Amino acid sequence: MTLTDLRDGFRDAEQRQCVQAMIASRLADDREPQECRYLMRFWWQLSMPYREVSIAELRLNVGQQKLDVVMELVSAIRSSHEEIDAWLSGAVQTFPVLQDHGFSATLDSRD
């Protein structure tokens, strides 16, 4: 199964951007750099027609809980716009907004 068809599954650019914001702000934790890197590659994949990341790479580099959520999103994108909206609601309830630890470290080092 390829992920190159995902960009065509959104209602509009706004829905895609909401999903991307959810990934960046709630899933891609910079304290887990390898996982974060692959989640952000998936983030790009949502807009790109070429292969940025594969499911096999996600399985190797993303923890099970987040991988399950990503696979639910892929299924939602291929199902309906309403399923994507439901995924967004569920992700908001499941994952808190992440603190950007790299940015915080930069601010701390200036003091």
Side-chain angles (χ1 to χ4, degrees):
M1 173 171 38
T2 180
L3 301 175
T4 56
D5 62 333
L6 298 180
R7 72 184 182 130
D8 300 324
F10 295 98
R11 176 183 308 114
D12 50 29
E14 182 178 341
Q15 187 180 46
R16 179 182 42 78
Q17 290 165 355
C18 285
V19 168
Q20 287 179 304
M22 186 69 62
I23 292 167
S25 67
R26 295 176 185 258
L27 298 178
D29 189 342
D30 65 351
R31 293 174 295 182
E32 299 289 337
Q34 186 74 355
E35 181 180 76
C36 183
R37 182 177 305 114
Y38 280 87
L39 287 168
M40 292 309 293
R41 288 178 69 188
F42 178 71
W43 179 93
W44 275 108
Q45 186 70 60
L46 298 175
S47 299
M48 301 300 161
Y50 57 83
R51 192 188 85 126
E52 184 67 35
V53 67
S54 69
I55 291 175
E57 290 171 320
L58 290 170
R59 285 188 176 128
L60 284 173
N61 295 287
V62 176
Q64 192 62 51
Q65 182 185 20
K66 291 181 184 177
L67 178 63
D68 290 346
V69 169
V70 166
M71 297 312 294
E72 289 169 9
L73 173 59
V74 170
S75 178
I77 292 170
R78 291 185 173 142
S79 295
S80 71
H81 303 141
E82 293 75 24
E83 289 291 322
I84 297 169
D85 291 337
W87 181 89
L88 283 164
S89 294
V92 164
Q93 295 173 2
T94 304
F95 295 98
V97 174
L98 296 166
Q99 179 183 356
D100 185 336
H101 293 85
F103 181 72
S104 297
T106 302
L107 290 177
D108 291 344
S109 68
R110 289 188 208 168
D111 295 339

